[in-house]
Amino acid sequence: MSSPTGPASGLPVRMPRPRQPGRHRRPEPLAAPEGAPALVLAVPGTPSAATRGLAEEVVSIARSELPGLDARIGYVDGDDGEFPTLQSVLVHAAEERAARYEQALAAGVEVKEPEGPVAVVVPLLAGPDNALLRVIRQAVMDSRVAADLTDVLGPHPLLAEALHVRLSEAGLARADRARLFTVATAADGIILASVGGEEAVQAAGITGMLLAARLAVPVMAAALDQDGSIAAVAAQLRSSGSQQLALAPYLIGPEIDPSLIAEAAQEAGCSAAEALGPYPAIGKLALSKYTTALGIAPQQAQGTPVR
């Protein structure tokens, strides 16, 4: 017979184990704070269906990482028709926030007047491009909306991972250094092609060092928008012993005409990987810029091994 406290036989009773905090405990999922500013992705370049698809995938990744996130897309060279301009997106976000406040007051709900930025603008750029950043900054100013403008996405280890993936997809790099096999077309020297002049080349060089560590081959940055930069870096790599080069665009994609990548690869006499595009790291980095601007801390974005 059992007693209220356990079996009469004296056998041990399995009791629920108290939950202990620690590094193996699953963190509580983070959601966007109520009334948080919108994340507005500033997309450069000529708008197109492909550009829109890329941007929508990036904001979709950001939303999946932070449920409840209000993420929008503004085109630097938009037309306010199919492709809304960055300025109009900011104005619309401000109008919506004001309307929500007025509706709450009309309904008798006690609410505080909105404070802080209406939006956080994140440039869809891997590296610095002062000409584009000036245009983005001017659009924010012209909107007369309280909005914060973040830095570009790189340099960052996740971008080195994304570059590695694009090179391996093109058959220009081994997918995993730990595996004992080779790729016949694997490059022994990488040209990291950036846009934005010398400052962009220097910033790309930081990510390039991380990529070189992953691939165990030399990586040098060059500028797609500077005459002779690609050819000069190709010659320097060959003079140092690299014979089979590859060009890795340090670009998301919309920043330039895609034909420039093919022309640069022809100039260097090598094959090229695809631009970074909507690789998951891009969405995670855009969200990281947003949360850093607001002082909230989602789970640390982790790179994944390339398979």
Side-chain angles (χ1 to χ4, degrees), residues 5-27:
T5 59
S9 63
L11 294 174
V13 180
R14 185 180 295 275
M15 302 296 291
R17 182 177 297 176
R19 297 181 69 181
Q20 298 292 332
R23 61 186 181 131
H24 295 297
R25 182 178 174 183
R26 184 183 298 275

Side-chain angles (χ1 to χ4, degrees), residues 129-306:
D129 185 327
N130 287 331
L132 273 173
L133 289 172
R134 278 196 297 270
V135 174
I136 293 172
R137 191 174 295 109
Q138 189 62 51
V140 173
M141 292 173 61
D142 290 345
S143 73
R144 298 183 181 276
V145 169
D148 291 341
L149 176 61
T150 75
D151 290 334
V152 296
L153 304 184
H156 196 278
L158 286 179
L159 292 180
E161 173 192 298
L163 289 162
H164 185 177
V165 169
R166 293 297 183 239
L167 285 164
S168 65
E169 288 172 345
L172 300 172
R174 291 185 300 171
D176 190 342
R177 283 185 58 193
R179 298 184 182 181
L180 299 178
F181 68 86
T182 60
V183 176
T185 56
D188 59 4
I190 306 294
I191 303 168
L192 202 56
S194 64
V195 171
E198 188 57 35
E199 183 180 356
V201 170
Q202 292 178 6
I206 298 172
T207 300
M209 289 189 291
L210 301 172
L211 179 62
R214 295 178 71 97
L215 299 178
V217 300
V219 178
M220 293 186 65
L224 280 168
D225 51 353
Q226 285 185 348
D227 289 342
S229 179
I230 297 291
V233 167
Q236 189 172 346
L237 282 169
R238 288 193 173 100
S239 67
S240 64
S242 298
Q243 297 304 314
Q244 192 155 305
L245 305 183
L247 187 139
Y250 189 61
L251 307 162
I252 311 298
E255 307 96 312
I256 62 164
D257 185 330
S259 65
L260 290 179
I261 296 175
E263 291 172 7
Q266 186 175 8
E267 181 182 359
C270 66
S271 298
E274 296 290 330
L276 298 173
Y279 187 73
I282 304 302
K284 292 178 181 180
L285 288 174
L287 178 63
S288 176
K289 294 297 180 184
Y290 169 85
T291 56
T292 298
L294 296 183
I296 59 178
Q299 299 174 30
Q300 184 72 22
Q302 298 292 331
T304 55
V306 184

